[in-house]
Amino acid sequence: MSRQLTGIAGSPGAVAGPAVIIASSSDIRDLHKTVTLDDVELAITTVGSELDRLAHTATGEAADILSAQAMMVRDPALAASMRATCQGGESAPAAFSQAINEFRSALAALGGYLGERAADLDDLERRVLATASGAQLDALPKTEQPHVLVARDLAPADTVGLDPGNVLAIITEQGGRTSHTSVVARGLGIPAVVGCPGALEIAPDSLVLVDGDEGTVVVDPTPQQLRSLPAIRSEATVPSERCATKDGERVELLANVSGSAEAERAAALGAEGVGLLRTELLYLHRQVAPTLEEQEREYLAVFEVFPTGKVVVRTLDAGADKPLPFLAHDAPEANPALGIRGWRLDVLGPKLFDDQLAAIAAASAKVNTRVAVMAPMVATAEEAAAFASRARAAGIEAAGSMVEVPAAALRAGQLLEHCDFLCIGTNDLSQYAFAADRGLAALSGLLDPWQPALLDLIRLTAAAGEAAGKLVSVCGEAASDPLMALVLVGLGVRSLSMSSGSLASVHEAIGRHDLEQCRDLAALAVGARSAEAGRAVVKAKAHWSGK
Ligand code: PEP
Ligand code: MG
């Protein structure tokens, strides 16, 4: 029988396909209580044979470790301990995990080489439970079949590596509209429903219908429901004329991208350029820092997509939910979102950003693209000044700051004394203004870009830009919402950068209103008592009713 799950619309589009579940050991223990003792025993045999096979194909220490793992998983004491716990009433997956835990403690107590092997038991646990339950535990599934990826959440490193030709859609239990799963899915054009409770209970291989516009998932849809599948929206290209209000006020429309492939998609969809190149997403898998030459090549590939346009490169926004393995801190942070991330990483030494700025400058010297740079996580005018002077010393003329921290919005005028432009990142600005983790589905109401307090911060920043005669843009996901785009224009924002799938609708909505109407809509949204009230009143008054 079909059943519906409701989550948050993370990335638009509707599609149906077989579910592939990516689960952790604890997900499987909690959710697959129906896995029997026989299933786990069979899985132990299967995993043992698989490890033998892998050991034969490997060499050196890797082969030794795999053979040792094969022996461990077949150890009769492990199975005996599991059976005994099961007889006490535990589920088979929980009993297996408990037996593994006992082994782990015993090995760890031995110390030395054997103690180090304790960590291999984690891998054994994952392999056996995954095999027993039919879920996939790899970071990304190996299947070549087009599928819908279901997970508790995906690390940005996993999401960035997804192949849109293979991954039809994404469903996650956690995450919100501005979490990186949604952001990257939109960039890749993969429909996504995030913050979707019950997603991990979807049985592997069941057919799921994902509607990323509505935020709904139908498991085992009826033929009738499948027929009503909204046609996958063909991505309309932006009309050839530049975006402007009805009375001719120009609004620059740019795209948020994470590399040259996304830049090409953005150009095909009519972006005038790139308003946010998320450079850290190029390096999420790197164990060692990219060389200057590698960086130059990658930036140049993006610039070349817009030979006469503009590209704003954001320097590495590493840390918090986007850790870069080659930038590991010595001391773990209790609150990484409030820690050393973004521009603050400069405390590790000037080389990181000086190298990056040098690579951007070198790539920029080879093209006519108008290249600008900006720093993420700037909180004070001093930080903005430090970044701008380092960028100029590297030979980059246009240097700006992101406004993602409320302190920066409140002092935008002082930041603008040092930088050429400001770019508001509404995703983090919401997170920090409302003290609400942007990845937490339960807090999506606080993270709603229609929150009047967030609009106040945007209004202050835009007003500072108007006073200084400098550009203020918005590159957070708020800019992807056509109704919100009208409000942003009304507040004084003249440059919007978004996932490329939204360019056409934002262009159309702006073209149907004159500046005065945008200002009236902005006043209504700012004056509203709640996000819902603001959205409702703007929706009722705007001359645009599309998605
Ligand atoms: C933002 O915070 O709004 C932003 C655009 O940056 P990111 O989403 O990459 O953190
Ligand atoms: Mg940000």
Side-chain angles (χ1 to χ4, degrees):
M1 223 184 53
S2 80
R3 66 197 167 92
Q4 178 165 322
L5 307 176
T6 304
I8 297 168
S11 174
V15 71
V20 168
I21 320 292
I22 309 284
S24 67
S25 304
S26 61
D27 292 334
I28 292 175
R29 277 200 302 278
D30 295 349
L31 296 167
H32 293 269
K33 300 225 160 71
T34 51
V35 173
T36 64
L37 193 57
D38 285 348
D39 293 330
V40 180
E41 284 184 336
L42 184 62
I44 287 175
T45 314
T46 312
V47 168
S49 313
E50 173 68 5
L51 288 166
D52 281 338
R53 193 186 61 73
L54 290 173
H56 280 120
T57 56
T59 51
E61 200 190 357
D64 294 344
I65 290 175
L66 289 163
S67 301
Q69 276 192 309
M71 265 166 59
M72 280 197 263
V73 78
R74 287 201 197 95
D75 190 325
L78 189 69
S81 161
M82 169 177 73
R83 272 187 230 108
T85 313
C86 243
Q87 273 160 11
E90 270 302 357
S91 71
F96 180 72
S97 290
Q98 194 172 315
I100 285 275
N101 266 339
E102 288 161 10
F103 260 55
R104 198 184 283 115
S105 313
L107 273 188
L110 292 173
Y113 180 80
L114 284 174
E116 283 167 23
R117 298 276 64 79
D120 297 345
L121 287 165
D122 296 344
D123 182 49
L124 281 187
E125 183 187 3
R126 286 159 50 83
R127 282 176 189 268
V128 170
L129 292 181
T131 308
S133 68
Q136 300 225 18
L137 278 178
D138 301 293
L140 287 178
K142 294 195 189 78
T143 172
E144 299 274 300
Q145 294 300 315
H147 58 276
V148 173
L149 202 57
V150 183
R152 185 173 294 277
D153 205 356
L154 292 170
D158 293 338
T159 323
V160 164
L162 294 178
D163 171 7
N166 213 0
V167 179
L168 298 170
I170 298 170
I171 309 170
T172 60
E173 282 226 343
Q174 292 178 350
R177 233 194 102 67
T178 61
S179 63
H180 282 94
T181 303
S182 304
V183 168
V184 177
R186 281 198 289 276
L188 293 170
I190 301 176
V193 173
V194 296
C196 183
L200 284 172
E201 287 162 51
I202 297 172
D205 290 327
S206 43
L207 185 64
V208 285
L209 192 163
V210 184
D211 187 334
D213 290 293
E214 298 300 326
T216 56
V217 174
V218 181
V219 186
D220 298 324
T222 61
Q224 198 187 2
Q225 284 171 318
L226 280 174
R227 273 197 298 277
S228 69
L229 182 73
I232 296 173
R233 281 184 301 154
S234 59
E235 294 177 311
T237 37
V238 181
S240 52
E241 71 273 16
R242 295 274 148 127
C243 176
T245 59
K246 215 160 77 181
D247 54 338
E249 184 74 22
R250 262 285 281 143
V251 181
E252 185 181 47
L253 291 194
L254 306 167
N256 296 345
V257 307
S258 61
S260 58
E262 280 187 34
E264 272 162 28
R265 176 168 179 258
L269 292 172
E272 293 173 41
V274 170
L276 168 64
L277 171 57
R278 290 181 162 103
T279 55
E280 66 283 354
L281 299 188
L282 289 164
Y283 305 118
L284 289 171
H285 288 290
R286 295 288 303 243
Q287 298 299 324
V288 286
T291 63
L292 229 135
E293 293 71 31
E294 282 175 278
Q295 293 194 56
E296 184 185 327
R297 247 196 327 275
E298 267 142 356
Y299 306 146
L300 183 61
V302 176
F303 301 164
E304 283 173 338
V305 178
F306 293 100
T308 57
K310 164 175 167 181
V311 175
V312 183
V313 185
R314 176 174 72 186
T315 50
L316 294 168
D317 186 20
D321 52 347
K322 291 177 288 187
L324 291 179
F326 59 88
L327 286 181
H329 300 255
D330 293 340
E333 296 176 324
N335 292 304
L338 304 182
I340 299 179
R341 57 165 293 200
W343 174 243
R344 298 171 183 186
L345 283 163
D346 200 45
V347 298
L348 301 181
K351 182 167 164 45
L352 176 69
F353 290 116
D354 284 348
D355 275 2
Q356 187 176 24
L357 291 167
I360 297 166
S364 160
K366 297 191 168 147
V367 288
N368 288 322
T369 311
R370 282 173 291 127
V371 174
V373 287
M374 62 183 179
M377 281 299 285
V378 166
T380 65
E382 287 97 318
E383 289 173 345
F387 175 75
S389 76
R390 295 264 291 280
R392 288 179 193 127
I396 302 164
E397 268 170 40
S401 276
M402 289 197 73
V403 174
E404 301 175 288
V405 179
L410 294 168
R411 292 292 167 126
Q414 292 175 359
L415 267 68
L416 282 166
E417 287 169 15
H418 308 283
C419 20
D420 301 304
F421 65 95
L422 293 177
C423 177
I424 306 174
T426 50
N427 307 335
D428 276 315
L429 191 56
S430 293
Q431 159 160 274
Y432 296 119
F434 289 88
D437 185 331
R438 65 192 263 186
L440 273 188
L443 301 180
S444 60
L446 290 174
L447 295 160
D448 189 329
W450 289 87
Q451 283 287 356
L454 177 73
L455 297 179
D456 276 340
L457 292 169
I458 298 174
R459 180 172 55 83
L460 283 175
T461 312
E466 280 183 331
K470 294 185 175 175
L471 186 73
V472 169
S473 63
V474 170
C475 68
E477 292 308 313
S480 305
D481 171 352
L483 287 177
M484 175 53 74
L486 300 174
V487 170
L488 296 173
V489 171
L491 290 174
V493 174
R494 293 290 175 273
S495 173
L496 298 170
S497 189
M498 64 202 75
S499 13
S500 7
S502 302
L503 287 160
S505 47
V506 168
H507 187 290
E508 189 184 334
I510 292 174
R512 290 193 186 182
H513 296 79
D514 58 35
L515 187 55
E516 210 42 49
Q517 288 169 321
C518 291
R519 289 192 175 127
D520 291 345
L521 294 173
L524 289 171
V526 171
R529 290 304 175 105
S530 68
E532 294 74 32
R535 182 188 284 108
V537 67
V538 170
K539 192 167 182 186
K541 302 273 181 196
H543 308 296
W544 193 84
S545 55
K547 272 207 174 294

mmCIF file of all heavy atoms in Angstrom, residues 355-381:
data_model
loop_
_atom_site.group_PDB
_atom_site.id
_atom_site.type_symbol
_atom_site.label_atom_id
_atom_site.label_comp_id
_atom_site.label_asym_id
_atom_site.label_seq_id
_atom_site.Cartn_x
_atom_site.Cartn_y
_atom_site.Cartn_z
ATOM 1 N N ASP A 355 48.128 31.929 -0.921
ATOM 2 C CA ASP A 355 48.241 31.028 -2.076
ATOM 3 C C ASP A 355 46.959 31.073 -2.902
ATOM 4 O O ASP A 355 46.989 31.132 -4.130
ATOM 5 C CB ASP A 355 48.453 29.571 -1.611
ATOM 6 C CG ASP A 355 49.923 29.292 -1.341
ATOM 7 O OD1 ASP A 355 50.732 30.225 -1.474
ATOM 8 O OD2 ASP A 355 50.242 28.129 -0.996
ATOM 9 N N GLN A 356 45.841 31.027 -2.207
ATOM 10 C CA GLN A 356 44.577 31.001 -2.952
ATOM 11 C C GLN A 356 44.387 32.303 -3.733
ATOM 12 O O GLN A 356 44.007 32.288 -4.908
ATOM 13 C CB GLN A 356 43.394 30.763 -2.005
ATOM 14 C CG GLN A 356 42.106 30.568 -2.812
ATOM 15 C CD GLN A 356 40.883 30.235 -1.992
ATOM 16 O OE1 GLN A 356 40.822 30.551 -0.806
ATOM 17 N NE2 GLN A 356 39.886 29.634 -2.634
ATOM 18 N N LEU A 357 44.691 33.424 -3.089
ATOM 19 C CA LEU A 357 44.527 34.714 -3.773
ATOM 20 C C LEU A 357 45.493 34.813 -4.955
ATOM 21 O O LEU A 357 45.131 35.329 -6.023
ATOM 22 C CB LEU A 357 44.757 35.864 -2.783
ATOM 23 C CG LEU A 357 43.651 36.005 -1.711
ATOM 24 C CD1 LEU A 357 44.089 36.948 -0.593
ATOM 25 C CD2 LEU A 357 42.340 36.496 -2.338
ATOM 26 N N ALA A 358 46.702 34.271 -4.775
ATOM 27 C CA ALA A 358 47.668 34.312 -5.882
ATOM 28 C C ALA A 358 47.153 33.475 -7.057
ATOM 29 O O ALA A 358 47.272 33.875 -8.228
ATOM 30 C CB ALA A 358 49.025 33.794 -5.411
ATOM 31 N N ALA A 359 46.554 32.324 -6.760
ATOM 32 C CA ALA A 359 46.030 31.459 -7.836
ATOM 33 C C ALA A 359 44.869 32.139 -8.556
ATOM 34 O O ALA A 359 44.755 32.078 -9.786
ATOM 35 C CB ALA A 359 45.582 30.123 -7.250
ATOM 36 N N ILE A 360 44.015 32.813 -7.788
ATOM 37 C CA ILE A 360 42.878 33.520 -8.405
ATOM 38 C C ILE A 360 43.408 34.646 -9.298
ATOM 39 O O ILE A 360 42.962 34.830 -10.440
ATOM 40 C CB ILE A 360 41.932 34.094 -7.314
ATOM 41 C CG1 ILE A 360 41.318 32.956 -6.493
ATOM 42 C CG2 ILE A 360 40.838 34.953 -7.948
ATOM 43 C CD1 ILE A 360 40.646 33.402 -5.200
ATOM 44 N N ALA A 361 44.398 35.394 -8.775
ATOM 45 C CA ALA A 361 44.965 36.501 -9.559
ATOM 46 C C ALA A 361 45.603 35.981 -10.841
ATOM 47 O O ALA A 361 45.428 36.555 -11.925
ATOM 48 C CB ALA A 361 45.994 37.262 -8.714
ATOM 49 N N ALA A 362 46.329 34.866 -10.738
ATOM 50 C CA ALA A 362 47.010 34.322 -11.924
ATOM 51 C C ALA A 362 45.983 33.873 -12.963
ATOM 52 O O ALA A 362 46.144 34.136 -14.161
ATOM 53 C CB ALA A 362 47.906 33.152 -11.510
ATOM 54 N N ALA A 363 44.911 33.223 -12.514
ATOM 55 C CA ALA A 363 43.880 32.771 -13.462
ATOM 56 C C ALA A 363 43.181 33.972 -14.076
ATOM 57 O O ALA A 363 42.889 34.013 -15.281
ATOM 58 C CB ALA A 363 42.873 31.863 -12.755
ATOM 59 N N SER A 364 42.937 34.966 -13.248
ATOM 60 C CA SER A 364 42.220 36.157 -13.705
ATOM 61 C C SER A 364 43.021 36.918 -14.768
ATOM 62 O O SER A 364 42.458 37.507 -15.701
ATOM 63 C CB SER A 364 41.935 37.021 -12.480
ATOM 64 O OG SER A 364 41.687 38.315 -12.832
ATOM 65 N N ALA A 365 44.355 36.876 -14.650
ATOM 66 C CA ALA A 365 45.217 37.596 -15.608
ATOM 67 C C ALA A 365 45.110 36.984 -17.013
ATOM 68 O O ALA A 365 45.485 37.622 -17.989
ATOM 69 C CB ALA A 365 46.661 37.552 -15.128
ATOM 70 N N LYS A 366 44.573 35.770 -17.112
ATOM 71 C CA LYS A 366 44.525 35.107 -18.416
ATOM 72 C C LYS A 366 43.209 35.329 -19.150
ATOM 73 O O LYS A 366 43.007 34.780 -20.245
ATOM 74 C CB LYS A 366 44.724 33.600 -18.215
ATOM 75 C CG LYS A 366 46.074 33.263 -17.633
ATOM 76 C CD LYS A 366 46.357 31.794 -17.695
ATOM 77 C CE LYS A 366 47.829 31.579 -17.381
ATOM 78 N NZ LYS A 366 48.083 30.335 -16.694
ATOM 79 N N VAL A 367 42.250 36.011 -18.527
ATOM 80 C CA VAL A 367 40.931 36.177 -19.155
ATOM 81 C C VAL A 367 40.445 37.618 -19.008
ATOM 82 O O VAL A 367 41.045 38.411 -18.290
ATOM 83 C CB VAL A 367 39.895 35.240 -18.476
ATOM 84 C CG1 VAL A 367 40.112 33.788 -18.828
ATOM 85 C CG2 VAL A 367 39.920 35.436 -16.965
ATOM 86 N N ASN A 368 39.336 37.896 -19.695
ATOM 87 C CA ASN A 368 38.735 39.222 -19.533
ATOM 88 C C ASN A 368 37.583 39.220 -18.541
ATOM 89 O O ASN A 368 36.919 40.238 -18.338
ATOM 90 C CB ASN A 368 38.228 39.731 -20.884
ATOM 91 C CG ASN A 368 39.386 40.106 -21.776
ATOM 92 O OD1 ASN A 368 40.384 40.656 -21.297
ATOM 93 N ND2 ASN A 368 39.283 39.778 -23.058
ATOM 94 N N THR A 369 37.318 38.061 -17.995
ATOM 95 C CA THR A 369 36.244 37.948 -16.990
ATOM 96 C C THR A 369 36.504 38.967 -15.881
ATOM 97 O O THR A 369 37.657 39.176 -15.479
ATOM 98 C CB THR A 369 36.274 36.516 -16.381
ATOM 99 O OG1 THR A 369 36.332 35.584 -17.442
ATOM 100 C CG2 THR A 369 35.077 36.259 -15.503
ATOM 101 N N ARG A 370 35.420 39.593 -15.406
ATOM 102 C CA ARG A 370 35.579 40.514 -14.265
ATOM 103 C C ARG A 370 35.597 39.678 -12.990
ATOM 104 O O ARG A 370 34.566 39.150 -12.569
ATOM 105 C CB ARG A 370 34.420 41.508 -14.226
ATOM 106 C CG ARG A 370 34.577 42.625 -15.260
ATOM 107 C CD ARG A 370 33.333 43.498 -15.311
ATOM 108 N NE ARG A 370 32.197 42.788 -15.867
ATOM 109 C CZ ARG A 370 31.016 42.676 -15.287
ATOM 110 N NH1 ARG A 370 30.781 43.228 -14.123
ATOM 111 N NH2 ARG A 370 30.031 42.018 -15.869
ATOM 112 N N VAL A 371 36.764 39.503 -12.429
ATOM 113 C CA VAL A 371 36.913 38.623 -11.268
ATOM 114 C C VAL A 371 36.941 39.443 -9.982
ATOM 115 O O VAL A 371 37.647 40.452 -9.891
ATOM 116 C CB VAL A 371 38.209 37.785 -11.392
ATOM 117 C CG1 VAL A 371 38.455 36.977 -10.119
ATOM 118 C CG2 VAL A 371 38.126 36.859 -12.608
ATOM 119 N N ALA A 372 36.126 39.004 -9.037
ATOM 120 C CA ALA A 372 36.151 39.639 -7.713
ATOM 121 C C ALA A 372 36.332 38.535 -6.671
ATOM 122 O O ALA A 372 36.050 37.369 -6.949
ATOM 123 C CB ALA A 372 34.840 40.380 -7.466
ATOM 124 N N VAL A 373 36.822 38.909 -5.501
ATOM 125 C CA VAL A 373 36.951 37.914 -4.433
ATOM 126 C C VAL A 373 36.217 38.409 -3.196
ATOM 127 O O VAL A 373 36.060 39.619 -2.989
ATOM 128 C CB VAL A 373 38.422 37.638 -4.038
ATOM 129 C CG1 VAL A 373 39.138 36.834 -5.089
ATOM 130 C CG2 VAL A 373 39.167 38.926 -3.722
ATOM 131 N N MET A 374 35.757 37.456 -2.408
ATOM 132 C CA MET A 374 35.153 37.849 -1.122
ATOM 133 C C MET A 374 35.474 36.799 -0.073
ATOM 134 O O MET A 374 35.738 35.638 -0.392
ATOM 135 C CB MET A 374 33.646 38.032 -1.253
ATOM 136 C CG MET A 374 32.883 36.794 -1.647
ATOM 137 S SD MET A 374 31.138 37.218 -1.844
ATOM 138 C CE MET A 374 30.465 35.621 -2.334
ATOM 139 N N ALA A 375 35.463 37.232 1.177
ATOM 140 C CA ALA A 375 35.792 36.334 2.279
ATOM 141 C C ALA A 375 34.518 35.954 3.020
ATOM 142 O O ALA A 375 33.646 36.794 3.236
ATOM 143 C CB ALA A 375 36.752 37.026 3.236
ATOM 144 N N PRO A 376 34.414 34.687 3.423
ATOM 145 C CA PRO A 376 33.260 34.256 4.220
ATOM 146 C C PRO A 376 33.514 34.476 5.707
ATOM 147 O O PRO A 376 34.673 34.575 6.142
ATOM 148 C CB PRO A 376 33.198 32.756 3.916
ATOM 149 C CG PRO A 376 34.614 32.359 3.674
ATOM 150 C CD PRO A 376 35.308 33.572 3.078
ATOM 151 N N MET A 377 32.441 34.538 6.479
ATOM 152 C CA MET A 377 32.514 34.596 7.950
ATOM 153 C C MET A 377 33.291 35.797 8.467
ATOM 154 O O MET A 377 34.097 35.683 9.398
ATOM 155 C CB MET A 377 33.135 33.311 8.498
ATOM 156 C CG MET A 377 32.184 32.154 8.560
ATOM 157 S SD MET A 377 30.764 32.449 9.627
ATOM 158 C CE MET A 377 31.480 32.306 11.240
ATOM 159 N N VAL A 378 33.051 36.917 7.838
ATOM 160 C CA VAL A 378 33.657 38.157 8.329
ATOM 161 C C VAL A 378 32.704 38.759 9.361
ATOM 162 O O VAL A 378 31.503 38.832 9.122
ATOM 163 C CB VAL A 378 33.878 39.136 7.152
ATOM 164 C CG1 VAL A 378 34.180 40.532 7.649
ATOM 165 C CG2 VAL A 378 34.990 38.607 6.265
ATOM 166 N N ALA A 379 33.248 39.141 10.514
ATOM 167 C CA ALA A 379 32.377 39.678 11.564
ATOM 168 C C ALA A 379 32.625 41.155 11.837
ATOM 169 O O ALA A 379 31.740 41.852 12.322
ATOM 170 C CB ALA A 379 32.567 38.878 12.854
ATOM 171 N N THR A 380 33.834 41.646 11.518
ATOM 172 C CA THR A 380 34.167 43.026 11.893
ATOM 173 C C THR A 380 34.788 43.784 10.716
ATOM 174 O O THR A 380 35.287 43.168 9.761
ATOM 175 C CB THR A 380 35.207 43.055 13.041
ATOM 176 O OG1 THR A 380 36.426 42.486 12.542
ATOM 177 C CG2 THR A 380 34.745 42.278 14.250
ATOM 178 N N ALA A 381 34.803 45.102 10.848
ATOM 179 C CA ALA A 381 35.413 45.934 9.807
ATOM 180 C C ALA A 381 36.918 45.656 9.699
ATOM 181 O O ALA A 381 37.482 45.680 8.604
ATOM 182 C CB ALA A 381 35.162 47.414 10.121
#
